[in-house]
Amino acid sequence: MMATSTDIDRYAELDRRLVAATRGMHVLQYVSWPAATEQCFLAAWRAGRPCLPQVSYPRCDLAATRAELDAIIAAAGSGHPIGDYLARNARSWRIAADLLDALGTPAVTALSVQLYGQPHDRLPGSTLTSLDAAHHFIAVADEVGNGAGAAEPPDEIPASALREELCARLDAFFGAGVVQVETDPDLIAKAAAGATRIRLRAAATFTSYDRDQLLNHEAFVHSLTALNGRAQPCLKSLARASPRITATQEGLAVFAELASGSIDIMRMQRISLRILAIDMAMRGADFIEVFRFFLQAGQSDADSFASAQRVFRGVAPAGGAAFTKDAVYLHGLLAVHTFFRWALRHNRMALCRNLFAGKLALRDVFALQAQFDDGTIAAPRHVPPWLQHARGLAGTLAFSLFSNRLHLDQVKPEDLALGM
């Protein structure tokens, strides 16, 4: 459906209202635990006196925000692709507002599932679930850890050295100073990224896999799509990560690691363990049980705390509730991978480039194709290096399409004996 200039102006105004209404809604910020919680828990654990963390959450009064979101949904109407896009975004922010109002209560789990899904969700084009995929990757990682994989020499890159290297790469790609890299002595995670800033924990050391994953996941997806969204002429909400795009955005970021050759099986294991942990918590496991699960998987006590904390963000640590955001990584990866393969098979690879024009869900790329064609939505200013070399990506995807027709469970050793 073509939009008149009057329509576009009206939708642009609704878009501005949506950005203004949600400006202070940072879900992850509200559900996060204070740093002191880790110190108290680990001190008690190491002393042999484990106890559940004591966490309180801020009280939110988002009545005015919900009213504005409801008004935007009503004004957006239905039937026009831009109006439908705005309504989808506003509805997801509406659910997020309900979640923030419910922090610390059992209601958070169901609202979290609406936004991010859950481990038992079916994967696209399959009867398998994210939980099935997690078990698969963990089993492969266990085989590698038991000697099935080739050993790799350890490498340790200090945060200061990594900062210099990332700065040089990002300045060359985005322009000098557009995306900054800083070291932070108070950062709990090894790294954190925003639209124009990547922070590294000052005391941490990094591997070459860490470096390449940071570059391709954080900078060339999360920062890149935010910058492209800011450059949009009409829909400035494309620079904002609405909750509904989380699965696509994180799936695209992990797919970028895969496409650039920077992912490793231990990374897949970490992502997969979190999905199992979410399932455990939803079935009644408390924080200490989930913490022990990560310990038994080989993580340090500090890493196990950080992993378990991700599962219990926004909820009580006594069990039976979970914050399910980490379910999006595998589901999103497999959905994005399927999307890229579908686009190759149907000769629609231009859709893949459009996915980088801002913070979009896979559905939006199809629904808004006419708006890309008429320039209402601008083509992405920045495209990651691995997508710039489209023939190489097409070769990888073509091989993947064909190899999926081969059934490993039917292969016999003698079938692999090439030559005489």
Side-chain angles (χ1 to χ4, degrees), residues 403-419:
S403 65
N404 283 347
R405 296 164 60 184
L406 307 177
H407 301 287
L408 287 179
D409 56 353
Q410 298 177 15
V411 174
K412 301 175 182 178
E414 54 267 29
D415 296 334
L416 303 175
L418 301 178

Side-chain angles (χ1 to χ4, degrees), residues 14-32:
L14 285 176
D15 187 73
R16 284 190 287 271
R17 287 172 59 186
L18 179 60
V19 171
T22 60
R23 184 165 285 121
M25 288 180 62
H26 303 290
V27 174
L28 295 185
Q29 178 180 316
Y30 279 102
V31 302
S32 294

Side-chain angles (χ1 to χ4, degrees), residues 161-176:
L162 180 60
R163 177 192 172 278
E164 292 182 8
E165 185 174 356
L166 290 179
C167 282
R169 295 284 298 275
L170 297 177
D171 284 353
F173 185 86
F174 291 111

Side-chain angles (χ1 to χ4, degrees), residues 185-328:
D186 299 319
L187 188 64
I188 298 172
K190 286 187 71 174
T196 58
R197 184 176 64 152
I198 295 174
R199 292 180 295 153
L200 309 173
R201 191 170 71 212
T205 59
F206 298 82
T207 69
S208 56
Y209 280 118
D210 291 333
R211 175 197 61 208
D212 295 341
Q213 288 161 11
L214 274 170
L215 195 63
N216 288 285
H217 183 116
E218 304 292 356
F220 292 156
V221 173
H222 293 325
S223 296
L224 181 147
T225 52
L227 291 169
N228 284 340
R230 290 181 180 183
Q232 286 296 328
C234 298
L235 300 178
K236 298 301 182 181
S237 63
L238 286 169
R240 289 225 50 202
S242 66
R244 62 177 286 271
I245 64 90
T246 304
T248 297
Q249 186 76 183
E250 297 296 354
L252 184 60
V254 180
F255 180 78
E257 298 176 38
L258 183 67
S260 62
S262 57
I263 204 164
D264 66 300
I265 192 60
M266 296 301 111
R267 164 86 161 141
M268 297 300 295
Q269 182 192 51
R270 289 193 298 274
I271 292 171
S272 299
L273 287 170
R274 294 172 191 165
I275 292 175
L276 269 59
I278 290 170
D279 183 58
M280 288 175 60
M282 292 178 72
R283 289 187 291 108
D286 66 19
F287 181 89
I288 294 175
E289 292 173 283
V290 172
F291 172 79
R292 285 194 176 110
F293 166 74
F294 285 112
L295 277 179
Q296 292 163 1
Q299 295 188 7
S300 69
D301 58 1
D303 287 342
S304 295
F305 179 90
S307 296
Q309 179 188 29
R310 294 174 70 99
V311 175
F312 287 93
R313 288 176 290 184
V315 304
F323 183 70
T324 65
K325 176 182 178 286
D326 280 354
V328 306

